[in-house]
Amino acid sequence: MHKFFSYLLLFCYVSVFAQQPQKPSSVEIYHKIEKLNFLGTALYIAAHPDDENTRLISFLSNEKMARTGYLALTRGDGGQNLIGLELRELLGVIRTQELIEARKIDGGEQFFSRANDFGFSKVPDETLQIWDKEEVLQDMVWIIRKFRPDIIINRFDHRTPGSTHGHHTSSAMLTQEAFGLANDPNYAPNQLKFVNTWQTQRVFFNVSWWFFGGKEQFDKADKSKYINLSTGVYYPMLGKSNQEIAALSRSRHRSQGFGTTGVRGDDMEYLELIKGDNLKDKQNLFEGIDTSWNRVKNGKKIGKAVQNILDNYNYKKPSSSLPALIEVYKDIQALDDNYWKEIKTKEIKDIIAACSGLFVEASANSQSATPGSEITINWEAINRSAVPMTLKSLTVYPDDETFIHNIPLQNNVDKGDSFTVTIPQDIEYTSPYWLKEKGNKGMYTVNDQQKIGIPDIIRDLYISFEVEIDGVIIPFKRELVYKYNDPAFGEVYQPFDVVPAVTTKILNKVQLFKDNKKQTVQVKISAGKDNCSGELQLKLPDTWKVSPASIPFNLETKGSEQIVSFEVTPSSHSEEAVAESIALVNNKQYDKEQIIIDYPHIAKQQVLLPSIAKFTKADIEIKGRRIAYIMGAGDNVPESLRQMGYEVTLLNPQLITPDILKDFDAVIMGIRAYNVLDDLVYKQQILFDYVKEGGNMIVQYNTTGHLSIRDFAPYHLRISRDRVTEEDAEVTFLAPENPVLNKPNKITENDFKGWVQEQGLYYPDEWGAEFTPILSSHDKGESSKKGALLIAKHGKGYYIYTGLSFFRELPEGVSGAYRLMANIIALGK
């Protein structure tokens, strides 16, 4: 059979409900059997989600049949979010799931280190100071030892520090070290309790036009010294090219706006050999590496048996392969090589279930439950083949409790029932494991070695269906799910979550106190079970006063909510404080906030974080009241402005008219507005006229990419990639007498203390004489950047462009950012 028949499995569109079980077709099953007979492994390494080359991952996984993984050193926490308001660790959760969905399409597997994407870094020296270099290196060695790649491919060049993001170069530099250390028994010996040392055979650098300054220069360059790998494969049965499949995968990166159009025709990937033996066959990256079953002791027999199954595969009746597959399963269980035994056992169990049409599933009667509570589990099992089967038992883990015994599974006769189990009292709540302990700016904290690298939430509650087929008992593991019928979408799957009895949320994540007056602070209490009662406390430093000391609550039904109010009197002096809400139920403290992330292209996620908020006592005066905010890529600045005392109206660009604008004291463009709002091209003159008549127009940063309009400023202004990544970089006032630094708040160097992640980004590097640059700062070893805040008088009003990261600082309660923003809005008033 030609392998073009085998590609449907991993190339179909991912369901919008990511938890739905796979139900492979006959063609998809054949592809699984092909992969069963290939024992080669490739690992692609880069720094972030969306750094990976999906064309190459898809090619290796589906044309070459290799077990292919992508190691992203970070989860992309420092990026921007084009689909919602989540930033930092919550954005990292979204981007993690986007990568998992991408791998379902291109056929790869996903891994991460503990490194935190702390934001843009210009050089690897800075990156490796903020990351714990040794911990990241150990994580890479751990994943290499565990995944055992024959070849590694770097997305970036280890020899060119300073030419790209410091995270990028660091990922390649660390790979060069990990290559040798993974095979050194004296390096990270604690890992060897779980894995063996491993020597990768080759390391490649995936050369791209990026490194030549553009596609035109790359096309002209001599590429004969590189491996020219032809990846423009066309799969006739699917009607898609490898590039089209890769585009579907890359388009899962929705939060970053990486939707990609598929292309067709010849395509080349260029690889430079960095370590290992040269290739004679430039199309075979595994040359000289035994990728057959012969590489495993007693594996030769298995390879012949699998090839025989492929040669005799019946597309109309896949179940005819079951007797031979059962024999292969038995031979795999007899292997001494635990690495390949584990991998190939999982693969062949999936194939056996698919060939027989065996469907087994366990679903809970609710989407969540608390430790110690009872839940009803509905189970289903059906054998859709003529091969006799028996459901020997059904066991629920982690309690290892068995419920049913010896149920015959006749051909196409659906079996099912329900039973009740008690959730273990000591089971962990469902939440991303890398967020359960407090990390630092550069690293997440994960102390369990065996968890490191795992991409997803770890769920301890699962069900094992032990099914006897042809005299062999095979366990099929299934995670417990929740499903329901939606009138619009039909069958909807969601993961089952273990939740606390009660969670709380301080409704204002940042609360600003501009004077000594007390303010009302509201806290929402949510029940994870029925009959939940207790008392709520709001904890603050002793310099703040909270009344009352506690508030009783009583929530009768699971899912019910109650909002309570405290009166908070701030400190007598300027201060930033952390407020913590704590619920006491039966003498047990509950201090978590439940955050649900629910987008159609990823699995629904529960995240449990400390229930805290930041309270800022700051000396702030504002002038002007009414603000029109035009949302761009998405940010939380409007809520921060409301905290400051402004009336904020979110204005749709299509509704911009002179009459609407005339009543606003300022119009503020959200981040990247000119990158994402094409309608602004028709409204720009109206905005300029508004400024001429005395209004203030404040434009926050845009990128150098697609701009809806070239002349988005009334005078010459060119955006660059200049930025100041060191949030504590010293700031020089270029125009100290300018009102923006003096009225109504006197801005000093102290106002630039406590900033987070970065000072600013995408500063202009050219501007007309009409603009006055206000600030200058720079990262260590660089020239001064003067484009952070530019102000131009235009008619009676002011046009202001700023690359300062207000979208990060204001939601974090940075008092100096509030004061400076108040002055920008107050210009001319």
Side-chain angles (χ1 to χ4, degrees):
M1 293 289 179
H2 199 286
K3 68 181 177 183
F4 284 154
F5 285 87
S6 66
Y7 287 92
L8 186 58
L9 172 62
L10 296 171
F11 301 155
C12 58
Y13 286 95
V14 175
S15 166
V16 292
F17 303 110
Q19 293 294 308
Q20 285 190 343
Q22 289 186 347
K23 298 171 184 177
S25 69
S26 178
V27 172
E28 296 167 350
I29 295 168
Y30 185 85
H31 181 46
K32 286 176 175 283
I33 301 172
E34 285 185 303
K35 291 187 72 94
L36 181 68
N37 220 25
F38 190 92
L39 280 71
T41 305
L43 181 62
Y44 201 90
I45 297 178
H48 311 108
D50 71 45
D51 283 345
E52 82 275 27
N53 185 339
T54 54
R55 295 185 304 277
L56 197 49
I57 290 174
S58 175
F59 177 79
L60 290 169
S61 178
N62 300 295
E63 173 66 13
K64 297 302 183 183
M65 301 297 167
R67 186 182 183 215
T68 306
Y70 174 44
L71 169 56
L73 295 191
T74 75
R75 296 176 184 267
D77 329 78
Q80 283 82 52
N81 185 357
L82 295 183
I83 62 173
L85 300 180
E86 297 88 353
L87 291 175
R88 294 303 310 147
E89 66 271 8
L90 297 181
L91 177 58
V93 171
I94 292 173
R95 299 187 73 184
T96 292
Q97 292 301 312
E98 289 177 336
L99 273 182
I100 290 171
E101 295 304 317
R103 297 294 81 79
K104 290 178 183 178
I105 294 173
D106 60 36
E109 299 178 44
Q110 186 60 49
F111 306 101
F112 296 97
S113 81
R114 289 172 290 176
N116 190 338
D117 178 5
F118 55 83
F120 192 87
S121 176
K122 294 179 179 177
V123 292
D125 285 350
E126 179 196 31
T127 298
L128 297 175
Q129 287 174 2
I130 297 175
W131 289 350
D132 185 319
K133 176 187 173 182
E134 187 58 30
E135 284 191 358
V136 178
L137 186 58
Q138 287 185 15
D139 291 356
M140 296 176 73
V141 167
W142 163 255
I143 291 163
I144 290 171
R145 287 172 171 175
K146 190 175 181 182
F147 191 61
R148 291 168 57 170
D150 297 306
I151 62 172
I152 290 174
I153 302 173
N154 276 136
R155 183 48 152 169
F156 300 103
D157 192 345
H158 66 285
R159 299 159 297 191
T160 56
S163 63
T164 182
H165 198 319
H167 298 182
H168 293 167
T169 311
S170 295
S171 70
M173 292 171 62
L174 292 175
T175 299
Q176 310 312 309
E177 295 187 52
F179 173 82
L181 292 174
N183 199 37
D184 182 354
N186 297 314
Y187 184 77
N190 59 303
Q191 297 179 2
L192 301 181
K193 293 182 291 184
F194 311 107
V195 293
N196 296 319
T197 58
W198 180 252
Q199 183 59 66
T200 298
Q201 297 303 303
R202 294 187 180 96
V203 176
F204 299 96
F205 162 46
N206 187 188
V207 183
S208 169
W209 60 266
W210 303 339
F211 306 96
F212 286 75
K215 291 182 178 179
E216 185 177 347
Q217 295 91 320
F218 186 55
D219 290 341
K220 295 176 181 177
D222 178 12
K223 295 180 281 292
S224 60
K225 64 179 180 180
Y226 303 131
I227 297 163
N228 290 211
L229 194 64
S230 180
T231 58
V233 181
Y234 174 61
Y235 309 111
M237 285 300 296
L238 184 66
K240 288 186 175 67
S241 66
N242 189 65
Q243 306 97 303
E244 289 173 308
I245 293 155
L248 292 174
S249 172
R250 188 159 182 78
S251 295
R252 305 316 287 180
H253 296 295
R254 293 184 184 175
S255 65
Q256 301 302 293
F258 278 109
T260 303
T261 300
V263 297
R264 292 145 293 279
D266 292 338
D267 194 24
M268 302 295 292
E269 287 294 331
Y270 300 94
L271 303 177
E272 179 183 357
L273 180 67
I274 302 298
K275 292 181 182 291
D277 296 334
N278 287 319
L279 297 175
K280 295 179 181 178
D281 180 358
K282 302 298 186 181
Q283 297 299 305
N284 181 14
L285 305 183
F286 295 92
E287 184 179 82
I289 302 168
D290 192 347
T291 57
S292 73
W293 275 99
N294 293 339
R295 78 185 298 173
V296 179
K297 183 181 178 182
N298 299 323
K300 186 174 182 179
K301 174 186 176 185
I302 297 173
K304 289 183 177 179
V306 175
Q307 187 58 53
N308 188 56
I309 293 169
L310 289 168
D311 292 342
N312 294 282
Y313 184 73
N314 187 337
Y315 282 91
K316 292 186 177 180
K317 190 178 179 183
S319 61
S320 62
S321 298
L322 276 174
L325 287 167
I326 295 297
E327 290 301 313
V328 171
Y329 175 84
K330 289 160 60 177
D331 289 339
I332 291 174
Q333 303 318 297
L335 293 175
D336 294 328
D337 188 324
N338 288 326
Y339 171 78
W340 286 112
K341 178 180 177 180
E342 179 181 349
I343 292 168
K344 295 303 180 181
T345 293
K346 182 179 183 303
E347 289 181 13
I348 198 167
K349 286 199 297 185
D350 288 345
I351 293 167
I352 289 171
C355 279
S356 63
L358 176 64
F359 180 85
V360 290
E361 181 177 83
S363 62
N365 64 333
S366 64
Q367 195 271 323
S368 64
T370 58
S373 64
E374 287 190 343
I375 60 169
T376 298
I377 295 179
N378 304 301
W379 65 269
E380 179 185 2
I382 186 170
N383 163 28
R384 288 168 287 188
S385 75
V387 177
M389 297 184 191
T390 301
L391 180 57
K392 300 295 291 183
S393 63
L394 188 154
T395 304
V396 180
Y397 293 90
D399 276 358
D400 196 13
E401 189 174 2
T402 300
F403 284 88
I404 61 173
H405 299 279
N406 298 321
I407 296 179
L409 299 178
Q410 296 98 346
N411 183 15
N412 211 31
V413 177
D414 200 14
K415 299 288 185 178
D417 204 345
S418 62
F419 55 86
T420 300
V421 298
T422 300
I423 305 292
Q425 282 283 5
D426 60 351
I427 197 169
E428 289 194 6
Y429 300 134
T430 305
S431 193
Y433 70 89
W434 61 94
L435 297 178
K436 290 187 176 181
E437 297 184 54
K438 185 175 178 59
N440 56 45
K441 179 180 178 181
M443 298 294 295
Y444 285 118
T445 298
V446 181
N447 293 316
D448 185 340
Q449 179 66 58
Q450 295 190 79
K451 290 181 178 179
I452 293 171
I454 295 174
D456 208 351
I457 288 173
I458 298 171
R459 301 179 185 274
D460 296 323
L461 189 62
Y462 66 93
I463 289 83
S464 178
F465 293 80
E466 286 81 29
V467 180
E468 184 177 18
I469 308 174
D470 203 11
V472 178
I473 297 177
I474 303 175
F476 295 93
K477 176 182 174 180
R478 296 292 185 267
E479 284 189 355
L480 184 64
V481 297
Y482 170 67
K483 66 178 183 178
Y484 65 94
N485 184 70
D486 182 275
F489 295 102
E491 188 177 54
V492 176
Y493 279 78
Q494 292 179 346
F496 175 80
D497 292 332
V498 180
V499 302
V502 62
T503 55
T504 67
K505 177 182 180 180
I506 304 173
L507 293 186
N508 284 335
K509 304 311 292 180
V510 171
Q511 190 139 342
L512 180 64
F513 294 77
K514 297 188 293 181
D515 51 36
N516 293 327
K517 295 179 181 178
K518 64 183 179 182
Q519 293 187 21
T520 299
V521 174
Q522 292 186 313
V523 182
K524 182 172 69 176
I525 312 163
S526 304
K529 65 175 185 177
D530 293 338
N531 301 316
C532 189
S533 61
E535 62 180 33
L536 184 72
Q537 298 176 351
L538 185 67
K539 299 289 188 180
L540 275 160
D542 292 340
T543 51
W544 297 63
K545 294 181 181 180
V546 180
S547 179
S550 65
I551 299 176
F553 64 87
N554 181 32
L555 301 170
E556 294 183 357
T557 58
K558 175 182 176 180
S560 61
E561 298 175 345
Q562 180 180 346
I563 294 178
V564 300
S565 298
F566 293 91
E567 296 296 326
V568 174
T569 303
S571 168
S572 60
H573 58 273
S574 295
E575 184 180 38
E576 295 177 0
V578 174
E580 180 182 13
S581 63
I582 299 174
L584 299 174
V585 179
N586 297 327
N587 295 319
K588 184 176 180 180
Q589 289 191 358
Y590 293 89
D591 60 357
K592 299 298 182 186
E593 176 184 347
Q594 181 192 55
I595 301 162
I596 300 298
I597 297 175
D598 194 7
Y599 290 99
H601 67 300
I602 59 175
K604 183 179 180 181
Q605 301 290 294
Q606 170 179 276
V607 183
L608 297 174
L609 295 176
S611 183
I612 60 175
K614 188 172 183 180
F615 289 0
T616 299
K617 169 66 185 305
D619 179 17
I620 300 176
E621 183 180 347
I622 68 171
K623 289 187 177 180
R625 288 289 174 182
R626 299 197 64 206
I627 305 261
Y629 199 91
I630 300 171
M631 189 68 74
D635 57 61
N636 276 312
V637 172
E639 181 55 37
S640 298
L641 295 171
R642 293 186 181 103
Q643 286 278 325
M644 295 169 70
Y646 297 106
E647 299 174 20
V648 181
T649 299
L650 296 181
L651 188 60
N652 186 317
Q654 294 179 345
L655 302 180
I656 293 175
T657 65
D659 285 343
I660 285 178
L661 293 184
K662 68 181 181 181
D663 293 328
F664 290 107
D665 296 297
V667 174
I668 302 179
M669 313 300 288
I671 61 172
R672 299 172 69 177
Y674 289 99
N675 295 129
V676 300
L677 300 177
D678 289 339
D679 286 342
L680 289 176
V681 68
Y682 308 110
K683 304 295 182 177
Q684 196 63 27
Q685 190 57 52
I686 297 175
L687 290 165
F688 289 164
D689 290 343
Y690 159 78
V691 177
K692 280 185 178 181
E693 293 302 316
N696 283 358
M697 181 178 176
I698 302 162
V699 179
Q700 296 180 83
Y701 93 93
N702 289 267
T703 72
T704 56
H706 166 77
L707 289 168
S708 59
I709 184 171
R710 179 180 178 183
D711 297 324
F712 55 85
Y715 311 112
H716 174 62
L717 185 70
R718 187 180 77 173
I719 300 172
S720 75
R721 298 183 66 87
D722 286 351
R723 62 178 74 205
V724 178
T725 63
E726 297 168 14
E727 61 270 27
D728 56 353
E730 182 180 355
V731 176
T732 299
F733 295 164
L734 300 175
E737 303 304 318
N738 192 285
V740 79
L741 296 177
N742 295 281
K743 299 178 181 179
N745 306 289
K746 180 66 175 178
I747 304 299
T748 71
E749 61 182 14
N750 289 331
D751 289 301
F752 289 91
K753 293 180 179 178
W755 285 47
V756 300
Q757 184 159 325
E758 68 213 346
Q759 210 172 81
L761 62 170
Y762 289 98
Y763 292 173
D765 63 352
E766 287 185 10
W767 51 84
E770 297 85 354
F771 282 103
T772 299
I774 304 298
L775 307 171
S776 173
S777 64
H778 61 88
D779 290 328
K780 293 182 180 67
E782 292 197 352
S783 61
S784 293
K785 304 296 185 290
K786 300 179 181 180
L789 179 59
L790 302 170
I791 298 174
K793 194 84 167 69
H794 186 59
K796 300 176 184 177
Y798 291 88
Y799 178 95
I800 302 101
Y801 188 93
T802 179
L804 292 170
S805 61
F806 286 110
F807 75 104
R808 296 196 191 279
E809 312 312 323
L810 295 178
E812 288 291 330
V814 178
S815 58
Y818 280 120
R819 287 162 47 83
L820 181 56
M821 177 57 81
N823 284 14
I824 294 172
I825 293 170
L827 280 170
K829 297 176 179 60

